[in-house]
Every structure is written in structure tokens, then in C-alpha cells.
Amino acid sequence: MLDIDTIRAQFPILGREVNGKPLVYLDNGASAQKPRVVLDTIQRAYAQEYSNVHRGLHTLSTISTENYEAVRGTVARFLNAPSEESIVFTSGTTEAMNLISYGWAAPRLEAGDQIVLSVMEHHANIVPWHFLRERQGVELVWVEPDVNGDLDPQAVLDAVTDRTKMIAITHLSNVLGTVVDVKAICSAAREKGIATVVDGSQAAVHMPVDVSEIGCDFYAITGHKLYGPSGSGAVFIRPERMAEMRPFLGGGDMIREVHRDRVTWNDPPMKFEAGTPGIVQTIGLGAALEWMMDLGMDAIAAHERGLRDYARDRLGGLNWLNVQGQSTEKAAIFSFTLEGAAHAHDISTVLDKKGVAVRAGHHCAQPLMEHLGVTATCRASFGVYNTKQEVDVLVDALELCHDLFA
Ligand code: PLP
């Protein structure tokens, strides 16, 4: 079992007050806070070890390059990827999806080809496929979750036709908390030769992820939700798919030779990493992933299951609160509206006055909002440092909202 007090003590920001109240940070779905080890790693990387990577032969460049490149192995271990060469660094999931869209899908998909995706996707796993629709006539085929917010893998597979070239699916909904059985989807897709893109932005934060077991072609993670720096991230790419990809961004580092009349590419994964990368961000991501693996992903998942069950009970007791997504095995992410009450923004403003940070809006998931028949929700999303006492603070603050707005 995790010692949450010890964990909390590692996050300086959790000690501060907001609006005269102790901070209750429940906006982890948007971005997580950073532990001391990540802050110290960033500080050391800039203050004592900083230089550009890959280019210099001097000592600092060598240290920087070694620290940066070591993170490839850390990410591979974190995701149980077959090799560190199967990991491409990105600035986050948005860049990963655009890389896949431009690098793999655009040269392969033609007018009339289909991409199957769910209405639960984050815009980062929608808009890059809309580019293909607009520019190349690719069709997007949408699958919906059931009333509990569960996504039946069979419903995804039923949407597949002989024109389906790709399935793009989230592993964990950032709005409903639903966990999707991506393994069932990816293994069936693989038998049909259909490429699979999994958005692991949320899942990798809350549960162990094993890309070798899932059997996907692409799996994207983003550092800022993983207790690491913003502007960091990575995508696992199955080596066969990586070999099929054309480069995305062009510039330094991704080339082998540049001449007036021709250019040749560096070997993958460097072929997909142009220019000076987020050096310190990536080194910070490595520290964050090591920190999570030290805690143990099973232990993190178990702690958050406890929070989920407690929050589900307490929020379920508020009969004027509409919680979206009742999946039994959901993550500790709760999106809600107040019956007949003010806009989600007003609710989040009242919660903020009580020191409770939640997100309000469409959560970059407008197709899901349309499906749910709402324009916005408030979302309380929990992380490893949250406690049951904080659930109580949230509930008290919601009761105040009910008194004010009902
Ligand atoms: N996918 C999901 C499920 C998310 O929750 C987010 C972030 O909110 C993203 C993608 C976008 O990730 P990034 O901020 O790294 O571009």
C-alpha cells in the first residue's frame, strides 16, 4: 500500500493554499503536478549538465545526450515495448497523432478508405484524422459507448469493413474514465491487417500498460499528465510500421546527409525527431516515469481504485448531481452537471473559492459532449496524491453550489 502522506510531501505545490483554503487539486486529467525528483532533475539538467544533444563531442553535450537518450529505455520499460528503438520522442500526444497521420496514414490511405474511431476520443485523436478526410477523402466511422459509458470492443469491430485501414481509439476516456479493452480490439484488427492507434494519454497515468500484450501499432503517452514536464511525450511505434513511415518534420538531426539536390534520412527513431528536441523536458519525463515505476503501477492503480469507489459512493449520494459514465471499472475521473443549475464554469468558480481545482468545459471531446447531450461538464480527475478527505471537501463544496444555484 502506498503511503500517501509521504507521496504528498514530495509535491511542493500541494502545500500551498488557494483562495485561503488548502489546495485540493482534482484537475489531473488536464495536467498533473510534479514531484520534487522531477523538479530537481530539471534544475540539475539546466544548472549543471546542459548542452544540446547529439551534436557535440564536448563533455556537457555527451552528458546531456546520454541522459536524454537513456529516457528511450525508460519509456520502453514503462510501456514494455520490445526495444528502445521503437520509441519516438514527441512534445505530447497531439504531436504523436499528427506524426502518425502525416507520416504513416497520409501516404497510405486513399479516398473511400475508412478510419474507425469512438466518439469518446480527445480532439488530439480526431483532428489529425479529419485532415485526412478533408485532404484525401478518407471516411471517419464513429462508434458510440453504451449508457454506462462502456465501449464494447465488438461494436468497434462491427464497424470495420473491407475499406477500414485504421482504428484510432482511446485506452481511457478523459471525460468518462471508461477503460477500453484495447487488447481485444488490436488483436482482432491485427488479424485483418488493420493498423491500430491507441491514445494512452490517460491510461498510462492510472494503470500498468503493456504495449506488447496489447498488440497495437502505435501507443502515445504525454509527459505532463505523467507527473512530468509539459512539452514531453513519446509514442511507441511497432518497428514494421516505423519502417513504412515517411518523415514528418524536416530539419536537423533527422537527416543523414543534405546536399543541393538530395537528402537522406537518419535511421529511425531519429528520422522522426527533427531539430533541437525538448531535451530537459524529456530528461524530466524520464525522472517522472522512474518515480512512477518505483511506486509501482499496480500500487498506483489500487490506490486510485479506492478513491474511485469512495468518490462514486459520495457523489452518488447527491441526487441532484448527474455523473456521466457509470462504467464499473472506470478510472477515478468524474464528469458531472448539476440538475437545473448553472453552467459548469460557474460551478468550477465556486469550487475554486473553496480551494478545489476542477476543469469545466468540453474537455476537448466535443463529439462526446454531443453524444451525451450536454455542452459542458465539470470534471474532477484524481491522481496518486489525492485522498478520501479531498473527496469530502469536493462534496461539501458541491453542496454549497447546490444551495447557491438550485
Ligand atoms: N488524449 C487524451 C485522452 C487527453 O486527455 C489529452 C490531454 O488532455 C490529449 C490526448 C492531448 O495530449 P497533449 O496535451 O499531450 O497534446
Side-chain angles (χ1 to χ4, degrees):
M1 235 170 66
L2 297 178
D3 177 350
I4 302 304
D5 286 342
T6 306
I7 290 174
R8 286 182 70 82
Q10 296 174 36
F11 288 79
I13 203 169
L14 296 180
R16 69 160 285 174
E17 294 192 341
V18 168
N19 295 321
K21 309 278 180 208
L23 168 65
V24 174
Y25 189 77
L26 301 180
D27 195 17
N28 297 284
S31 209
Q33 302 298 348
K34 321 303 171 201
R36 175 63 68 198
V37 65
V38 170
L39 303 175
D40 288 349
T41 300
I42 293 169
Q43 162 80 10
R44 192 178 58 245
Y46 274 129
Q48 290 167 33
E49 298 172 345
Y50 184 74
S51 176
N52 210 331
V53 290
H54 298 144
R55 308 195 183 144
L57 295 174
H58 61 84
T59 302
L60 287 183
S61 183
T62 307
I63 294 173
S64 237
T65 303
E66 280 171 8
N67 291 346
Y68 174 82
E69 281 301 326
V71 180
R72 245 182 256 284
T74 308
V75 175
R77 250 185 312 119
F78 183 72
L79 295 176
N80 195 29
S83 67
E84 46 190 80
E85 289 75 33
S86 63
I87 303 299
V88 173
F89 290 135
T90 65
S91 61
T93 296
T94 301
E95 188 186 334
M97 295 308 181
N98 281 278
L99 164 67
I100 299 163
S101 174
Y102 189 86
W104 188 83
R108 264 169 197 78
L109 272 58
E110 295 172 352
D113 285 344
Q114 294 175 336
I115 298 174
V116 172
L117 67 170
S118 90
V119 297
M120 294 195 303
E121 302 312 314
H122 186 282
H123 294 167
N125 196 21
I126 297 176
V127 181
W129 320 127
H130 266 303
F131 286 162
L132 302 176
R133 181 190 58 75
E134 281 193 342
R135 295 169 189 171
Q136 306 183 199
V138 169
E139 292 172 17
L140 305 187
V141 177
W142 297 90
V143 185
E144 296 179 350
D146 66 18
V147 284
N148 289 325
D150 278 316
L151 189 70
D152 182 357
Q154 195 51 50
V156 177
L157 299 171
D158 287 347
V160 164
T161 70
D162 56 6
R163 289 183 294 149
T164 308
K165 292 289 180 332
M166 210 177 91
I167 298 175
I169 211 88
T170 188
H171 196 175
L172 201 165
S173 160
N174 64 314
V175 178
L176 304 178
T178 308
V179 179
V180 177
D181 184 353
V182 287
K183 185 180 167 198
I185 295 168
C186 294
S187 57
R190 202 163 159 67
E191 279 171 23
K192 295 176 197 283
I194 298 168
T196 46
V197 178
V198 181
D199 179 349
S201 308
Q202 298 286 342
V205 184
H206 305 293
M207 55 200 259
V209 170
D210 184 332
V211 294
S212 301
E213 200 195 335
I214 292 169
C216 52
D217 290 299
F218 304 91
Y219 194 101
I221 60 171
T222 184
H224 67 97
K225 297 185 204 284
L226 290 158
Y227 308 100
S230 58
S232 69
V235 54
F236 158 74
I237 306 180
R238 184 183 288 283
E240 304 93 278
R241 296 295 188 200
M242 210 186 281
E244 293 168 351
M245 283 170 66
R246 70 178 183 192
F248 174 36
L249 299 173
D253 247 25
M254 51 78 72
I255 49 81
R256 185 178 305 286
E257 285 180 36
V258 179
H259 303 278
R260 290 186 183 207
D261 59 347
R262 69 186 190 286
V263 49
T264 55
W265 313 129
N266 207 335
D267 291 332
M270 300 275 291
K271 180 178 169 184
F272 306 105
E273 297 171 3
T276 298
I279 301 165
V280 176
Q281 290 91 326
T282 300
I283 292 171
L285 170 66
L289 298 183
E290 293 290 2
W291 180 80
M292 291 182 81
M293 288 189 279
D294 282 351
L295 291 180
M297 290 309 298
D298 285 319
I300 291 174
H303 170 66
E304 294 185 8
R305 269 196 303 276
L307 286 174
R308 174 202 64 195
D309 292 345
Y310 186 71
R312 188 170 5 222
D313 275 3
R314 294 259 18 228
L315 296 175
L318 308 176
N319 58 9
W320 34 264
L321 196 78
N322 295 323
V323 178
Q324 306 282 357
Q326 302 291 350
S327 177
T328 322
E329 282 311 317
K330 66 184 257 163
I333 296 177
F334 295 86
S335 286
F336 51 80
T337 50
L338 255 71
E339 227 156 59
H343 191 274
H345 287 166
D346 298 326
I347 297 164
S348 99
T349 305
V350 174
L351 297 187
D352 184 52
K353 292 277 175 283
K354 295 286 169 193
V356 181
V358 298
R359 186 138 297 244
H362 55 58
H363 314 294
C364 294
Q366 284 185 319
L368 179 60
M369 295 292 123
E370 282 170 12
H371 169 75
L372 297 171
V374 295
T375 50
T377 67
C378 273
R379 178 186 67 185
S381 50
F382 293 78
V384 65
Y385 38 61
N386 289 124
T387 64
K388 291 182 181 167
Q389 289 78 0
E390 291 181 310
V391 176
D392 294 337
V393 177
L394 169 68
V395 170
D396 288 349
L398 285 172
E399 277 170 340
L400 175 66
C401 288
H402 180 59
D403 292 345
L404 286 173
F405 296 128

